[in-house]
Amino acid sequence: MIRPLLCVAAESVVRDTTSGSISVFNILESVSGAGFPLLIQKAAFLAVWERSSEDPQSYEARFAVTLAGTELLRQSVSVNFRDKIRNRTLLTVNGLVVPQPGKLTFSLTVSDEVVASYAIDVTATVTATDEADAIPSLAPPVA
Amino acid sequence: MTKLTREDLRSLARVVILANTAPSLYRGLLDTQIIPLLKRGSSVAELSNYYDRVTSRAKRTEIELGIAYALLIALLTHEDGAPTPDSARLKWGPAIAELITRSTAATQSIVITDGPRAASVTQEQSASSRSSLPPPQVGIVLVD
């Protein structure tokens, strides 16, 4: 059975067309917002899979983004090894609306036993209000 | 042992002279069709011995460099599981070995776009989202 070697979520994941190498930019570790719902304009998920030569080449998988167990996004994905031993699947989500704080999980599920997932915390930031307290006057009182 | 013609040797030298990066050298050598010729005409042991002999010389001509790189690629991509040659004997050997490792992975890039922008292949999102925005569209690009 195939197994995930690596999975991570980041702001962007790109592939160099000349060398074939993958680069991950700004790994997501946590996201915070002043107000909700919060729009994450761009998020990317990378999963690297490995199979043995006896395993089939193509697998039907499900990509999902969930917040505290509630699905925000779901998409069927075909993981195709195309005669090779490794597969790198890059999923870019342009525009993800997060309704409230919680644990945001990106997952690519092939079966119950084969899941690549990565979770981050989405928190609310408390905005400070800069209101000056009343400052007592230092001038002597006028008689 | 594989016999390379004069034209084969010239084309190897040409690739070496014109290449300015490891990827361009790798792709140039793949285009010559000499690598399958080497794999068909010689055993793994013969290729390995020849690689050791060519790379042991301190000074090499362009033809010898072309042969060395072609042998390296043939050994690294050999279906019969050749022993891993020492790629560090050649200036771009490690870079080419790295390229070959990466080319053994299939890569898929899928873009899920939130909005009415159409991609080359689109799919309907099956799950409903709490968002009031239009359902996202999917573009799939298969590479490699």
Side-chain angles (χ1 to χ4, degrees), chain B residues 26-100:
Chain B
Y26 174 60
R27 285 187 170 80
L29 288 170
L30 287 183
D31 287 343
T32 62
Q33 304 298 321
I34 287 170
I35 290 158
L37 207 64
L38 288 171
K39 288 201 262 191
R40 271 199 308 271
S42 305
S43 66
V44 164
E46 283 171 339
L47 292 174
S48 194
N49 289 338
Y50 197 11
Y51 177 76
D52 288 341
R53 209 160 67 234
V54 172
T55 55
S56 63
R57 295 174 201 157
K59 286 188 179 179
R60 305 165 200 143
T61 64
E62 284 82 4
I63 291 175
E64 285 167 335
L65 271 176
I67 292 171
Y69 278 111
L71 286 166
L72 174 67
I73 295 168
L75 286 165
L76 288 172
T77 57
H78 209 290
E79 295 78 17
D80 292 346
T84 309
D86 183 6
S87 60
R89 292 184 191 179
L90 299 168
K91 179 183 162 193
W92 282 334
I96 287 177
E98 184 74 22
L99 271 172
I100 290 170

Side-chain angles (χ1 to χ4, degrees), chain A residues 3-10 13 24 27-28 44-49 63 87-91 105-109 115-120:
Chain A
R3 61 190 184 97
L5 294 179
L6 161 77
C7 69
V8 69
V13 177
V24 178
I27 293 174
L28 295 177
F45 179 73
L46 167 68
V48 179
W49 303 91
F63 173 67
N87 167 285
R88 302 177 299 185
T89 302
L90 286 61
L91 290 127
T105 304
F106 299 80
S107 61
L108 190 55
T109 305
V115 182
S117 72
Y118 184 85
I120 61 172

Side-chain angles (χ1 to χ4, degrees), chain A residues 15 18-19 21 72-75 77-82 84-95 97, chain B residues 23 27 99 102-112 114 123 125-127 129 133 136 138 142-144:
Chain A
R15 177 182 167 271
T18 304
S19 64
S21 58
L72 303 180
L73 175 69
R74 185 175 75 198
Q75 182 59 49
V77 172
S78 177
V79 176
N80 194 334
F81 284 81
R82 300 167 77 187
K84 305 206 176 142
I85 295 300
R86 284 194 182 182
N87 167 285
R88 302 177 299 185
T89 302
L90 286 61
L91 290 127
T92 303
V93 183
N94 285 339
V97 178
Chain B
R27 285 187 170 80
L99 271 172
R102 276 196 227 108
S103 72
T104 59
T107 306
Q108 321 173 205
S109 181
I110 301 164
V111 177
I112 302 172
D114 203 1
Q123 289 182 8
Q125 184 192 357
S126 50
S129 165
L133 294 169
V138 174
L142 290 176
V143 295
D144 282 351

